[in-house]
């Protein structure tokens, strides 16, 4: 399960970087748009990119929180063993 989460995290990270690039590009194109139709088109694309970004982040957060919990348990066990000798 941890390996599956690791692979999924890498995939989601790659997807998020692509979405962030698209978001930056669509924002720039929105600012440079001349006609009202083009502005509406790019504002829709920006909204869609923001929605996709939120979805990916909502998938990433539980994986990261699970990893933090596992890591905290491991460090807690290590500290207990180290300080038990004193």
């Amino acid at each position: 399960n941890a390996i599956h989460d690791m692979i999924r995290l890498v995939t989601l990270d790659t997807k998020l970087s692509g979405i962030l690039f698209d978001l930056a590009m669509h924002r720039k194109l929105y600012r440079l748009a001349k006609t009202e139709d083009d502005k509406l088109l790019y504002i829709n694309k920006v909204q869609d990119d923001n929605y996709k970004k939120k979805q990916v982040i909502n998938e990433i957060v539980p994986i990261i929180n699970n990893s933090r919990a596992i890591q905290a348990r491991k460090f807690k066990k290590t500290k207990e063993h180290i300080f038990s000798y004193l």
Side-chain angles (χ1 to χ4, degrees):
N1 195 13
I3 294 173
H4 173 68
D5 285 346
M6 180 185 66
I7 293 169
R8 183 71 180 144
L9 186 61
V10 170
T11 304
L12 290 171
D13 184 52
T14 304
K15 189 174 182 180
L16 182 61
S17 65
I19 291 169
L20 292 175
F21 177 78
D22 288 343
L23 186 60
M25 184 179 61
H26 291 141
R27 283 180 178 163
K28 182 177 180 181
L29 290 171
Y30 171 75
R31 285 193 304 270
L32 297 175
K34 304 282 185 198
T35 66
E36 207 54 39
D37 289 337
D38 288 342
K39 286 188 182 232
L40 285 173
L41 174 72
Y42 291 122
I43 198 71
N44 282 336
K45 288 183 181 275
V46 167
Q47 289 175 346
D48 187 46
D49 291 339
N50 280 327
Y51 177 73
K52 288 178 185 177
K53 180 178 140 185
K54 284 181 185 179
Q55 282 184 321
V56 170
I57 289 173
N58 286 339
E59 279 189 64
I60 289 175
V61 168
I63 296 171
I64 291 174
N65 288 339
N66 187 27
S67 176
R68 282 184 184 166
I70 292 169
Q71 192 174 24
R73 283 194 305 262
K74 285 184 179 181
F75 284 133
K76 184 178 178 184
K77 287 180 182 179
T78 304
K79 286 181 183 178
E80 288 173 0
H81 292 299
I82 291 172
F83 292 113
S84 66
Y85 297 115
L86 295 176

Coordinates of all heavy atoms in Angstrom, one line a residue:
N1 N 0.8 -1.2 0.0 CA 0.0 0.0 0.0 C 0.9 1.3 0.0 O 0.5 2.2 -0.6 CB -0.9 0.0 1.2 CG -2.0 1.0 1.1 OD1 -2.3 1.5 0.0 ND2 -2.7 1.2 2.2
A2 N 2.0 1.2 0.7 CA 2.9 2.4 0.8 C 3.5 2.6 -0.6 O 3.7 3.8 -1.0 CB 3.9 2.2 1.8
I3 N 3.8 1.6 -1.3 CA 4.4 1.7 -2.6 C 3.4 2.3 -3.6 O 3.7 3.1 -4.4 CB 5.0 0.4 -3.1 CG1 6.1 -0.1 -2.3 CG2 5.4 0.5 -4.6 CD1 6.7 -1.4 -2.5
H4 N 2.2 1.8 -3.5 CA 1.1 2.3 -4.3 C 0.9 3.8 -4.0 O 0.7 4.6 -5.0 CB -0.2 1.6 -4.1 CG -1.4 2.2 -4.7 ND1 -1.6 2.1 -6.1 CD2 -2.5 2.8 -4.3 CE1 -2.7 2.7 -6.4 NE2 -3.3 3.1 -5.3
D5 N 0.9 4.2 -2.8 CA 0.8 5.7 -2.4 C 1.9 6.5 -3.0 O 1.7 7.6 -3.4 CB 0.7 5.8 -0.9 CG -0.7 5.4 -0.3 OD1 -1.6 5.2 -1.1 OD2 -0.8 5.3 0.9
M6 N 3.1 5.9 -2.9 CA 4.3 6.6 -3.4 C 4.2 6.9 -4.9 O 4.4 8.0 -5.4 CB 5.6 5.8 -3.1 CG 6.8 6.5 -3.6 SD 8.3 5.5 -3.4 CE 7.9 4.1 -4.5
I7 N 3.8 5.8 -5.7 CA 3.6 6.0 -7.1 C 2.5 6.9 -7.4 O 2.6 7.8 -8.3 CB 3.3 4.6 -7.7 CG1 4.6 3.7 -7.6 CG2 2.9 4.7 -9.2 CD1 4.3 2.2 -8.0
R8 N 1.4 6.9 -6.7 CA 0.3 7.8 -6.9 C 0.7 9.2 -6.6 O 0.3 10.1 -7.3 CB -0.9 7.4 -6.0 CG -2.1 8.2 -6.1 CD -2.8 7.9 -7.5 NE -4.0 8.7 -7.6 CZ -4.4 9.2 -8.8 NH1 -3.8 9.0 -9.9 NH2 -5.5 10.0 -8.8
L9 N 1.5 9.4 -5.5 CA 2.0 10.8 -5.2 C 2.8 11.4 -6.3 O 2.7 12.5 -6.6 CB 2.7 10.7 -3.9 CG 3.1 12.1 -3.3 CD1 1.9 12.9 -3.0 CD2 3.9 11.9 -2.0
V10 N 3.7 10.6 -6.9 CA 4.5 11.0 -8.0 C 3.7 11.4 -9.2 O 3.9 12.5 -9.8 CB 5.6 10.0 -8.4 CG1 6.3 10.4 -9.6 CG2 6.6 9.8 -7.2
T11 N 2.7 10.6 -9.5 CA 1.8 10.9 -10.6 C 1.0 12.1 -10.3 O 0.9 13.0 -11.2 CB 0.8 9.7 -10.8 OG1 1.5 8.5 -10.9 CG2 -0.1 9.9 -12.0
L12 N 0.5 12.3 -9.1 CA -0.3 13.5 -8.8 C 0.6 14.7 -8.8 O 0.1 15.8 -9.2 CB -1.0 13.3 -7.4 CG -2.1 12.3 -7.4 CD1 -2.6 12.1 -5.9 CD2 -3.3 12.8 -8.2
D13 N 1.8 14.6 -8.4 CA 2.7 15.8 -8.4 C 3.0 16.2 -9.8 O 3.0 17.4 -10.1 CB 4.0 15.4 -7.7 CG 4.9 16.6 -7.6 OD1 4.5 17.6 -7.1 OD2 6.1 16.4 -7.9
T14 N 3.2 15.2 -10.7 CA 3.4 15.6 -12.1 C 2.2 16.2 -12.7 O 2.3 17.2 -13.4 CB 3.8 14.3 -12.9 OG1 4.9 13.7 -12.3 CG2 4.1 14.6 -14.3
K15 N 1.0 15.7 -12.4 CA -0.2 16.3 -12.9 C -0.4 17.7 -12.3 O -0.8 18.6 -13.1 CB -1.4 15.4 -12.4 CG -2.7 15.7 -13.0 CD -3.7 14.7 -12.6 CE -5.1 14.9 -13.2 NZ -6.1 13.9 -12.8
L16 N -0.1 17.9 -11.1 CA -0.2 19.2 -10.5 C 0.7 20.3 -11.1 O 0.3 21.4 -11.4 CB 0.1 19.2 -9.0 CG -0.1 20.5 -8.2 CD1 -1.6 21.0 -8.3 CD2 0.3 20.3 -6.7
S17 N 1.9 19.9 -11.4 CA 2.9 20.8 -12.1 C 2.4 21.2 -13.5 O 2.5 22.3 -13.9 CB 4.3 20.2 -12.1 OG 4.3 19.1 -13.0
G18 N 1.8 20.2 -14.2 CA 1.2 20.5 -15.5 C 0.0 21.5 -15.4 O -0.2 22.4 -16.2
I19 N -0.8 21.3 -14.3 CA -2.0 22.1 -14.1 C -1.5 23.5 -13.8 O -2.1 24.5 -14.3 CB -2.9 21.6 -13.0 CG1 -3.6 20.3 -13.5 CG2 -3.9 22.6 -12.6 CD1 -4.3 19.5 -12.5
L20 N -0.5 23.6 -12.9 CA 0.0 25.0 -12.6 C 0.6 25.7 -13.8 O 0.4 26.9 -13.9 CB 1.1 24.8 -11.5 CG 0.5 24.4 -10.1 CD1 1.7 24.2 -9.1 CD2 -0.5 25.4 -9.5
F21 N 1.2 25.0 -14.7 CA 1.8 25.6 -15.9 C 0.6 26.1 -16.7 O 0.6 27.2 -17.2 CB 2.6 24.6 -16.7 CG 3.1 25.2 -18.0 CD1 4.2 26.0 -18.0 CD2 2.5 24.8 -19.2 CE1 4.6 26.6 -19.2 CE2 2.9 25.3 -20.4 CZ 4.0 26.2 -20.4
D22 N -0.4 25.2 -16.9 CA -1.6 25.6 -17.7 C -2.3 26.9 -17.1 O -2.7 27.8 -17.8 CB -2.6 24.5 -17.8 CG -2.1 23.4 -18.7 OD1 -1.2 23.6 -19.5 OD2 -2.7 22.3 -18.7
L23 N -2.4 26.9 -15.8 CA -3.0 28.0 -15.1 C -2.3 29.3 -15.3 O -2.9 30.3 -15.6 CB -3.1 27.7 -13.6 CG -3.8 28.6 -12.7 CD1 -5.3 28.7 -13.1 CD2 -3.7 28.2 -11.2
A24 N -0.9 29.2 -15.2 CA -0.1 30.5 -15.5 C -0.3 30.9 -16.9 O -0.4 32.1 -17.2 CB 1.3 30.2 -15.2
M25 N -0.3 30.0 -17.9 CA -0.4 30.3 -19.3 C -1.8 30.9 -19.6 O -1.9 31.9 -20.3 CB -0.2 29.1 -20.1 CG -0.3 29.3 -21.6 SD 0.0 27.9 -22.6 CE -1.4 26.8 -22.1
H26 N -2.9 30.3 -19.0 CA -4.2 30.8 -19.3 C -4.4 32.2 -18.6 O -5.1 33.0 -19.2 CB -5.3 29.8 -18.8 CG -5.3 28.6 -19.6 ND1 -5.5 27.3 -19.1 CD2 -5.2 28.4 -20.9 CE1 -5.5 26.4 -20.0 NE2 -5.3 27.0 -21.2
R27 N -3.8 32.4 -17.5 CA -3.9 33.8 -16.8 C -3.2 34.8 -17.7 O -3.8 35.9 -17.9 CB -3.3 33.8 -15.4 CG -4.2 33.1 -14.4 CD -3.5 33.1 -13.1 NE -4.4 32.6 -12.1 CZ -4.0 32.1 -10.9 NH1 -2.8 32.3 -10.5 NH2 -4.9 31.6 -10.0
K28 N -2.1 34.5 -18.3 CA -1.4 35.4 -19.1 C -2.2 35.7 -20.4 O -2.3 36.8 -20.8 CB 0.0 34.9 -19.5 CG 0.8 35.8 -20.3 CD 2.2 35.3 -20.6 CE 3.0 36.2 -21.4 NZ 4.3 35.8 -21.7
L29 N -2.7 34.6 -21.0 CA -3.5 34.8 -22.2 C -4.8 35.6 -21.9 O -5.2 36.4 -22.8 CB -3.9 33.4 -22.8 CG -2.7 32.7 -23.4 CD1 -3.1 31.3 -23.8 CD2 -2.2 33.4 -24.6
Y30 N -5.3 35.4 -20.7 CA -6.5 36.2 -20.3 C -6.2 37.7 -20.3 O -6.9 38.6 -20.8 CB -7.1 35.8 -19.0 CG -8.1 36.7 -18.4 CD1 -9.4 36.7 -18.9 CD2 -7.8 37.5 -17.4 CE1 -10.4 37.5 -18.5 CE2 -8.8 38.4 -16.9 CZ -10.1 38.4 -17.4 OH -11.0 39.2 -16.9
R31 N -5.0 38.0 -19.7 CA -4.6 39.4 -19.6 C -4.3 40.0 -21.0 O -4.5 41.2 -21.2 CB -3.3 39.6 -18.7 CG -3.6 39.4 -17.2 CD -2.4 39.9 -16.4 NE -1.2 39.2 -16.7 CZ -0.8 38.0 -16.2 NH1 -1.5 37.5 -15.2 NH2 0.4 37.5 -16.5
L32 N -3.8 39.2 -21.9 CA -3.5 39.7 -23.2 C -4.6 39.6 -24.2 O -4.5 40.2 -25.3 CB -2.3 38.9 -23.8 CG -1.0 38.9 -23.0 CD1 0.0 38.0 -23.6 CD2 -0.5 40.4 -23.0
A33 N -5.7 39.0 -23.8 CA -6.9 38.9 -24.7 C -7.5 40.3 -25.1 O -7.6 41.2 -24.3 CB -8.0 38.0 -24.1
K34 N -7.8 40.4 -26.4 CA -8.3 41.7 -26.9 C -9.9 41.7 -26.9 O -10.5 42.7 -26.5 CB -7.8 41.9 -28.3 CG -6.4 41.9 -28.5 CD -5.7 43.2 -28.0 CE -4.2 43.1 -28.3 NZ -3.5 44.1 -27.5
T35 N -10.5 40.6 -27.3 CA -11.9 40.6 -27.4 C -12.6 40.0 -26.1 O -11.9 39.3 -25.4 CB -12.4 39.8 -28.6 OG1 -12.1 38.4 -28.4 CG2 -11.7 40.3 -29.9
E36 N -13.8 40.4 -26.0 CA -14.6 39.9 -24.8 C -14.8 38.4 -24.9 O -14.8 37.7 -23.9 CB -15.9 40.6 -24.8 CG -16.6 40.7 -23.5 CD -15.8 41.4 -22.4 OE1 -15.0 42.3 -22.7 OE2 -15.9 40.9 -21.3
D37 N -15.0 37.8 -26.1 CA -15.1 36.4 -26.2 C -13.8 35.6 -25.8 O -13.9 34.6 -25.1 CB -15.4 36.0 -27.7 CG -16.8 36.4 -28.1 OD1 -17.7 36.6 -27.2 OD2 -17.1 36.6 -29.3
D38 N -12.7 36.2 -26.2 CA -11.4 35.5 -25.8 C -11.3 35.6 -24.3 O -10.8 34.6 -23.7 CB -10.2 36.2 -26.5 CG -10.2 35.9 -28.0 OD1 -10.8 34.9 -28.4 OD2 -9.5 36.6 -28.7
K39 N -11.6 36.7 -23.7 CA -11.5 36.8 -22.2 C -12.4 35.8 -21.5 O -12.0 35.2 -20.5 CB -11.9 38.3 -21.8 CG -10.8 39.3 -22.1 CD -11.1 40.6 -21.5 CE -10.0 41.6 -21.9 NZ -9.4 42.2 -20.8
L40 N -13.6 35.7 -22.0 CA -14.5 34.7 -21.4 C -14.0 33.3 -21.6 O -14.1 32.5 -20.7 CB -15.9 34.8 -22.1 CG -16.8 36.0 -21.7 CD1 -18.1 36.0 -22.5 CD2 -17.1 35.9 -20.2
L41 N -13.4 33.0 -22.7 CA -12.8 31.7 -23.0 C -11.7 31.4 -22.0 O -11.7 30.3 -21.3 CB -12.3 31.6 -24.4 CG -11.5 30.3 -24.7 CD1 -12.5 29.1 -24.8 CD2 -10.7 30.5 -26.0
Y42 N -10.8 32.4 -21.8 CA -9.7 32.1 -20.9 C -10.1 32.2 -19.4 O -9.5 31.4 -18.6 CB -8.5 33.1 -21.2 CG -7.9 32.9 -22.5 CD1 -7.9 33.8 -23.5 CD2 -7.3 31.6 -22.8 CE1 -7.3 33.5 -24.8 CE2 -6.8 31.3 -24.0 CZ -6.8 32.3 -25.0 OH -6.2 32.0 -26.2
I43 N -11.1 32.9 -19.1 CA -11.5 32.9 -17.7 C -12.1 31.6 -17.3 O -12.0 31.1 -16.2 CB -12.4 34.1 -17.3 CG1 -12.5 34.3 -15.8 CG2 -13.8 33.9 -17.8 CD1 -11.3 34.9 -15.2
N44 N -12.8 31.0 -18.3 CA -13.4 29.6 -18.1 C -12.2 28.6 -17.9 O -12.3 27.7 -17.1 CB -14.3 29.2 -19.2 CG -15.6 29.8 -19.1 OD1 -16.1 30.2 -18.1 ND2 -16.3 30.0 -20.3
K45 N -11.2 28.8 -18.7 CA -10.1 27.8 -18.6 C -9.4 28.0 -17.3 O -8.9 27.0 -16.7 CB -9.1 28.1 -19.8 CG -9.6 27.6 -21.1 CD -8.6 27.7 -22.2 CE -9.1 27.3 -23.5 NZ -9.0 25.9 -23.8
V46 N -9.2 29.2 -16.8 CA -8.6 29.5 -15.5 C -9.5 28.8 -14.4 O -8.9 28.2 -13.5 CB -8.4 31.0 -15.3 CG1 -8.1 31.3 -13.8 CG2 -7.4 31.6 -16.2
Q47 N -10.8 29.0 -14.5 CA -11.6 28.4 -13.5 C -11.5 26.9 -13.5 O -11.5 26.2 -12.5 CB -13.1 28.8 -13.7 CG -13.3 30.3 -13.3 CD -14.7 30.7 -13.6 OE1 -15.5 30.0 -14.4 NE2 -15.1 31.9 -13.1
D48 N -11.5 26.3 -14.7 CA -11.3 24.9 -14.9 C -10.0 24.4 -14.3 O -9.9 23.4 -13.6 CB -11.5 24.5 -16.3 CG -11.5 23.0 -16.5 OD1 -12.2 22.3 -15.8 OD2 -10.8 22.5 -17.4
D49 N -8.9 25.1 -14.5 CA -7.6 24.8 -14.0 C -7.6 24.9 -12.5 O -7.0 24.0 -11.8 CB -6.5 25.7 -14.5 CG -6.3 25.5 -16.0 OD1 -6.6 24.4 -16.5 OD2 -5.7 26.4 -16.7
N50 N -8.3 25.9 -11.9 CA -8.4 26.0 -10.4 C -9.1 24.8 -9.9 O -8.8 24.3 -8.8 CB -9.0 27.3 -10.0 CG -8.1 28.5 -10.1 OD1 -6.9 28.3 -9.8 ND2 -8.6 29.6 -10.4
Y51 N -10.2 24.4 -10.5 CA -11.0 23.2 -10.1 C -10.1 21.9 -10.1 O -10.1 21.2 -9.1 CB -12.2 23.1 -10.9 CG -13.0 21.8 -10.6 CD1 -13.8 21.8 -9.4 CD2 -13.0 20.7 -11.4 CE1 -14.6 20.7 -9.1 CE2 -13.8 19.6 -11.1 CZ -14.6 19.6 -9.9 OH -15.3 18.5 -9.6
K52 N -9.4 21.8 -11.2 CA -8.5 20.6 -11.3 C -7.4 20.6 -10.2 O -7.1 19.6 -9.6 CB -7.8 20.5 -12.7 CG -8.8 20.2 -13.8 CD -8.0 20.2 -15.1 CE -8.9 20.0 -16.3 NZ -8.2 20.1 -17.6
K53 N -6.9 21.8 -10.0 CA -5.8 21.9 -8.9 C -6.4 21.5 -7.6 O -5.7 20.8 -6.8 CB -5.4 23.4 -8.9 CG -4.3 23.7 -7.9 CD -3.9 25.2 -8.1 CE -3.7 25.8 -6.7 NZ -3.4 27.2 -6.8
K54 N -7.6 22.0 -7.2 CA -8.2 21.6 -6.0 C -8.4 20.1 -5.8 O -8.2 19.5 -4.8 CB -9.5 22.4 -5.8 CG -9.4 23.8 -5.4 CD -10.7 24.5 -5.2 CE -10.5 26.0 -5.0 NZ -11.8 26.7 -4.8
Q55 N -8.9 19.5 -6.9 CA -9.1 18.1 -6.9 C -7.8 17.3 -6.7 O -7.7 16.4 -5.9 CB -9.7 17.6 -8.3 CG -11.1 17.9 -8.4 CD -11.7 17.3 -9.7 OE1 -11.0 17.3 -10.7 NE2 -12.9 16.7 -9.6
V56 N -6.7 17.7 -7.3 CA -5.4 17.0 -7.2 C -4.9 17.2 -5.7 O -4.4 16.3 -5.1 CB -4.4 17.5 -8.2 CG1 -3.0 17.0 -7.9 CG2 -4.8 17.1 -9.6
I57 N -5.0 18.5 -5.2 CA -4.6 18.7 -3.9 C -5.4 17.9 -2.9 O -4.8 17.4 -1.9 CB -4.6 20.2 -3.6 CG1 -3.5 21.0 -4.4 CG2 -4.5 20.5 -2.1 CD1 -3.5 22.5 -4.3
N58 N -6.7 17.8 -3.1 CA -7.5 17.0 -2.2 C -7.1 15.5 -2.2 O -7.3 14.8 -1.2 CB -9.0 17.2 -2.5 CG -9.5 18.5 -2.1 OD1 -9.0 19.2 -1.2 ND2 -10.6 18.9 -2.7
E59 N -6.5 15.1 -3.3 CA -6.0 13.7 -3.4 C -4.7 13.5 -2.7 O -4.3 12.5 -2.1 CB -5.9 13.2 -4.8 CG -7.2 12.7 -5.4 CD -7.0 12.1 -6.7 OE1 -6.4 11.0 -6.8 OE2 -7.5 12.6 -7.7
I60 N -3.9 14.6 -2.8 CA -2.5 14.6 -2.3 C -2.5 14.7 -0.7 O -1.7 14.0 -0.1 CB -1.6 15.7 -2.9 CG1 -1.3 15.4 -4.3 CG2 -0.4 15.9 -2.1 CD1 -0.6 16.5 -5.1
V61 N -3.4 15.5 -0.2 CA -3.3 15.7 1.3 C -3.5 14.5 2.1 O -2.7 14.3 3.1 CB -4.4 16.8 1.6 CG1 -4.6 16.9 3.1 CG2 -4.0 18.2 1.1
P62 N -4.4 13.6 1.9 CA -4.5 12.3 2.7 C -3.2 11.5 2.6 O -2.8 10.9 3.6 CB -5.7 11.6 2.2 CG -6.5 12.5 1.4 CD -5.5 13.6 0.9
I63 N -2.6 11.4 1.4 CA -1.4 10.6 1.3 C -0.3 11.2 2.1 O 0.5 10.5 2.8 CB -1.0 10.5 -0.2 CG1 -2.0 9.8 -1.0 CG2 0.4 9.9 -0.4 CD1 -1.8 9.8 -2.5
I64 N -0.1 12.5 2.1 CA 0.9 13.2 2.8 C 0.7 13.1 4.3 O 1.6 12.8 5.1 CB 1.0 14.7 2.4 CG1 1.6 14.8 1.0 CG2 1.9 15.5 3.4 CD1 1.6 16.2 0.4
N65 N -0.6 13.2 4.8 CA -0.9 13.1 6.2 C -0.6 11.7 6.7 O -0.2 11.5 7.8 CB -2.4 13.5 6.4 CG -2.6 15.0 6.3 OD1 -1.6 15.8 6.5 ND2 -3.8 15.4 6.1
N66 N -1.0 10.7 5.9 CA -0.7 9.3 6.2 C 0.8 9.1 6.4 O 1.3 8.4 7.3 CB -1.3 8.4 5.2 CG -1.2 6.9 5.6 OD1 -1.1 6.6 6.8 ND2 -1.1 6.1 4.6
S67 N 1.6 9.6 5.4 CA 3.0 9.5 5.5 C 3.6 10.2 6.7 O 4.5 9.7 7.4 CB 3.6 10.1 4.2 OG 5.0 10.1 4.3
R68 N 3.1 11.3 7.1 CA 3.5 12.0 8.3 C 3.2 11.2 9.5 O 4.0 11.2 10.5 CB 2.9 13.4 8.4 CG 3.4 14.4 7.5 CD 2.8 15.8 7.7 NE 3.3 16.8 6.8 CZ 2.7 17.9 6.6 NH1 1.6 18.3 7.2 NH2 3.2 18.8 5.7
A69 N 2.1 10.6 9.6 CA 1.7 9.8 10.8 C 2.6 8.6 10.9 O 3.1 8.3 12.0 CB 0.2 9.4 10.6
I70 N 2.9 7.9 9.8 CA 3.8 6.8 9.8 C 5.2 7.3 10.3 O 5.9 6.6 11.1 CB 3.9 6.1 8.4 CG1 2.6 5.5 8.1 CG2 5.1 5.1 8.4 CD1 2.5 5.0 6.7
Q71 N 5.7 8.4 9.8 CA 7.0 8.9 10.1 C 7.0 9.3 11.6 O 8.0 9.0 12.3 CB 7.3 10.1 9.2 CG 8.8 10.5 9.3 CD 9.1 11.6 8.3 OE1 8.2 12.3 7.9 NE2 10.3 11.7 7.9
A72 N 6.0 9.9 12.1 CA 5.9 10.3 13.5 C 6.0 9.1 14.4 O 6.7 9.1 15.4 CB 4.7 11.1 13.8
R73 N 5.3 8.0 14.0 CA 5.3 6.8 14.8 C 6.7 6.2 14.9 O 7.2 5.7 15.9 CB 4.3 5.8 14.3 CG 2.8 6.1 14.7 CD 2.0 4.9 14.4 NE 2.0 4.4 13.0 CZ 1.2 4.7 12.1 NH1 0.1 5.5 12.3 NH2 1.3 4.2 10.8
K74 N 7.4 6.2 13.7 CA 8.7 5.6 13.7 C 9.7 6.4 14.5 O 10.5 5.8 15.3 CB 9.2 5.5 12.2 CG 8.6 4.4 11.4 CD 9.2 4.4 10.0 CE 8.5 3.2 9.3 NZ 9.1 3.1 7.9
F75 N 9.6 7.7 14.4 CA 10.5 8.6 15.2 C 10.2 8.5 16.7 O 11.1 8.5 17.6 CB 10.5 10.0 14.8 CG 11.2 10.2 13.5 CD1 10.7 11.0 12.5 CD2 12.5 9.7 13.3 CE1 11.4 11.2 11.3 CE2 13.2 9.9 12.1 CZ 12.6 10.7 11.1
K76 N 8.9 8.3 17.0 CA 8.5 8.2 18.4 C 9.1 6.9 19.0 O 9.6 6.9 20.1 CB 7.0 8.2 18.6 CG 6.5 8.2 20.0 CD 5.0 8.2 20.0 CE 4.5 8.1 21.5 NZ 3.1 8.1 21.6
K77 N 9.1 5.8 18.3 CA 9.6 4.6 18.7 C 11.1 4.7 18.9 O 11.7 4.2 19.9 CB 9.3 3.4 17.8 CG 7.9 3.0 17.8 CD 7.7 1.9 16.8 CE 6.2 1.4 16.8 NZ 6.0 0.4 15.8
T78 N 11.8 5.3 18.0 CA 13.2 5.5 18.0 C 13.6 6.3 19.3 O 14.5 6.0 20.0 CB 13.8 6.2 16.8 OG1 13.4 5.5 15.6 CG2 15.3 6.3 16.8
K79 N 12.9 7.4 19.6 CA 13.2 8.2 20.7 C 13.0 7.5 22.0 O 13.8 7.6 23.0 CB 12.4 9.5 20.7 CG 12.8 10.5 19.6 CD 12.0 11.8 19.7 CE 12.4 12.7 18.6 NZ 11.5 13.9 18.6
E80 N 11.9 6.7 22.0 CA 11.7 5.9 23.3 C 12.8 5.0 23.5 O 13.3 4.8 24.7 CB 10.4 5.1 23.1 CG 9.1 6.0 23.2 CD 7.9 5.2 22.9 OE1 8.0 4.0 22.6 OE2 6.8 5.8 22.9
H81 N 13.4 4.3 22.5 CA 14.5 3.4 22.7 C 15.8 4.2 23.1 O 16.5 3.7 24.0 CB 14.8 2.6 21.5 CG 13.7 1.6 21.2 ND1 13.4 0.6 22.0 CD2 12.9 1.5 20.1 CE1 12.4 -0.1 21.5 NE2 12.0 0.4 20.3
I82 N 16.0 5.3 22.6 CA 17.2 6.1 22.9 C 17.2 6.6 24.3 O 18.1 6.4 25.1 CB 17.4 7.3 21.9 CG1 17.7 6.8 20.5 CG2 18.4 8.2 22.4 CD1 17.7 7.9 19.5
F83 N 16.0 7.1 24.7 CA 15.9 7.7 26.1 C 15.7 6.6 27.2 O 15.8 6.9 28.3 CB 14.8 8.8 26.1 CG 15.2 10.0 25.3 CD1 14.5 10.3 24.2 CD2 16.3 10.8 25.7 CE1 14.8 11.4 23.4 CE2 16.6 11.9 25.0 CZ 15.9 12.2 23.8
S84 N 15.3 5.4 26.8 CA 15.1 4.4 27.8 C 16.4 3.9 28.5 O 16.4 3.4 29.5 CB 14.4 3.2 27.2 OG 15.2 2.6 26.2
Y85 N 17.6 4.2 27.8 CA 18.8 3.8 28.4 C 19.4 4.8 29.5 O 20.2 4.4 30.2 CB 19.9 3.7 27.3 CG 19.6 2.6 26.3 CD1 19.3 3.0 25.0 CD2 19.5 1.3 26.6 CE1 19.0 2.0 24.0 CE2 19.2 0.3 25.7 CZ 18.9 0.7 24.4 OH 18.6 -0.3 23.5
L86 N 18.8 5.9 29.6 CA 19.3 6.9 30.5 C 18.7 6.7 31.9 O 17.8 6.2 32.2 CB 18.9 8.3 30.1 CG 19.6 8.8 28.8 CD1 19.1 10.2 28.4 CD2 21.1 8.8 29.0

